[in-house]
Every structure is written in structure tokens, then in C-alpha cells.
Amino acid sequence: MQGRCVWTDERGDRVYSELKGEFVETGNHVVGTFRGGTGRYAGVTGEYSFQWKFIVESEDGTVSGRAVDLKGRALLSPTAEAHSGEGGK
């Protein structure tokens, strides 16, 4: 399985990632790679992984589910940290 994911925070800033893993099914393991973002997440890099708890697929092919055991790390670029006004916090 390969896919893309967009994480959106309460301010509307986004993080983009690519997903790779086993077929989308309950219990399967997925690995994600951060590929940048907008606003305070511009230039973010890193990786994460999780396991699907359950999956719901709609008629239009959209997949939703619950992830468990989410682990990973992200690194904000110095430019993004300065842009956020929070010093990377």
C-alpha cells in the first residue's frame, strides 16, 4: 500500500506525508515519511509508524480508520521555527 496524508492543525497549518505499508487492513503496520508542510511546518522532515486498529472504506474509495502505537519524530527547519514565533516549541 502507498498513500498520502495531510495533517492539519487548529491554525490550518499542514504537514504532508507519504505512507507505505501492508495492504490497508486491521492490524497492519504502516510507515510514514514527512515531506514538508505549510506555515510553521514548512520544511518539516521525519518519520513515523503506526498500526491500524480498524478500517472503514467509503463507496468513493476514501479510507478512514483508527491508528494505535503511533511513534516517530519530526524535525522543523530553522526557518519554520522562526516563522512560528514559538522558538520551535
Side-chain angles (χ1 to χ4, degrees), residues 11-60:
R11 296 181 189 183
D13 291 337
R14 295 180 177 181
V15 174
Y16 304 110
S17 66
E18 294 178 351
L19 302 170
K20 292 183 181 180
E22 304 167 60
F23 182 75
V24 178
E25 187 173 287
T26 299
N28 285 351
H29 188 255
V30 177
V31 174
T33 303
F34 294 119
R35 298 291 185 198
T38 64
R40 61 185 173 168
Y41 305 116
V44 68
T45 59
E47 297 180 339
Y48 62 97
S49 65
F50 62 89
Q51 186 174 25
W52 286 115
K53 181 71 173 178
F54 65 84
I55 303 294
V56 177
E57 186 171 353
S58 66
E59 290 180 17
D60 68 359

Side-chain angles (χ1 to χ4, degrees), residues 1 5 9 17 22 24 43 57-58 64 68-69 73 75 79 82 87:
M1 180 276 310
C5 179
D9 72 9
S17 66
E22 304 167 60
V24 178
E57 186 171 353
S58 66
S64 300
V68 295
D69 297 326
R73 61 177 56 189
L75 178 64
T79 304

